[in-house]
Amino acid sequence: MTTSLSILSGELGDIFWDLPPVVSYVTGMDLGCSIYVANPTEVEKEYALMARLTRNETLISDEALPVFGYTWFNVAPGEFIKLNGALRFDESDASLAVLLVEKETEEVTDSVSTYLAKVSSSVLPPWLGGSTTTTTDWSSLLGMMLPFLMLGMIAVALKPQSEKKENISQPKEERKLLPAGRQS
């Protein structure tokens, strides 16, 4: 029995990316990623990328991802290309799959996926859509800092007087010697 290394890849093309299986995602924000498309064949291939968003087996959206402004792009035989970009969706708590479609067969040859987990807006700063009303319980903060403040005040009060005097810098006067007097 012979094991082939191409078990995890598509026969007509491979796709990889730098996103983990689960991503914290805020709807409407850019999701930056790098997508790698490899052509394992011996001839140049044309590919297209499709983004498919689903929730509980229900299709939310299915759209082509343009590459350099075009739906189809070429990859030389035995080569790969790196595509840097960003995806943006109006949904979260959904599965995102990017499908690699080979033009000649018009079949999906490989895919990558991640889950877009919803981020609570209460943990976001205001400029990213978080809540602008904040309440701070200063008593708990003061309760934590009070022992350190007291230790600092005690340390200053107990500091020896000799150290305090050494810290005061006094200008040093330069002593001038008188010239030797006349000797008669």
Side-chain angles (χ1 to χ4, degrees), residues 64-96:
L65 297 175
V67 175
F68 306 119
Y70 299 100
T71 302
W72 297 97
F73 58 94
N74 296 331
V75 179
E79 295 291 325
F80 74 92
I81 62 170
K82 179 181 179 183
L83 305 168
N84 295 315
L87 305 170
R88 183 182 298 176
F89 301 98
D90 293 329
E91 300 282 338
S92 60
D93 283 334
S95 294
L96 166 65

Side-chain angles (χ1 to χ4, degrees), residues 7-177:
I7 291 172
L8 297 175
S9 63
E11 192 173 300
L12 299 174
D14 299 321
I15 185 172
F16 309 93
W17 67 1
D18 59 355
L19 292 179
V22 177
V23 175
S24 296
Y25 182 67
V26 177
T27 57
M29 300 299 293
D30 285 348
L31 176 64
C33 64
S34 295
I35 298 175
Y36 301 84
V37 177
N39 178 0
T41 69
E42 295 179 6
V43 294
E44 184 174 81
K45 292 285 183 182
E46 281 189 84
Y47 300 105
L49 297 175
M50 299 291 294
R52 183 173 290 161
L53 205 56
T54 58
R55 182 181 302 124
N56 301 329
E57 306 301 320
T58 302
L59 181 64
I60 298 171
S61 70
D62 195 14
E63 60 188 79
L65 297 175
V67 175
F68 306 119
Y70 299 100
T71 302
W72 297 97
F73 58 94
N74 296 331
V75 179
E79 295 291 325
F80 74 92
I81 62 170
K82 179 181 179 183
L83 305 168
N84 295 315
L87 305 170
R88 183 182 298 176
F89 301 98
D90 293 329
E91 300 282 338
S92 60
D93 283 334
S95 294
L96 166 65
V98 175
L99 314 171
L100 180 65
V101 179
E102 194 270 330
K103 187 173 186 176
E104 189 176 314
T105 62
E106 293 187 5
E107 292 182 14
V108 174
T109 184
D110 202 7
S111 66
V112 289
S113 65
T114 189
Y115 184 77
L116 304 177
K118 184 176 184 176
V119 176
S120 171
S121 64
S122 64
V123 298
L124 296 174
W127 60 88
L128 290 178
S131 174
T132 56
T133 57
T134 58
T135 57
T136 304
D137 183 6
W138 290 103
S139 62
S140 64
L141 182 62
L142 184 60
M144 290 185 334
M145 295 198 52
L146 190 58
F148 295 108
L149 291 171
M150 290 177 63
L151 283 174
M153 289 188 300
I154 292 171
V156 169
L158 295 178
K159 190 173 186 181
Q161 292 295 328
S162 59
E163 285 184 29
K164 288 182 184 177
K165 288 180 183 176
E166 289 176 12
N167 290 339
I168 299 173
S169 60
Q170 295 180 3
K172 293 185 178 182
E173 292 183 23
E174 194 175 309
R175 289 188 176 185
K176 294 183 180 179
L177 296 175

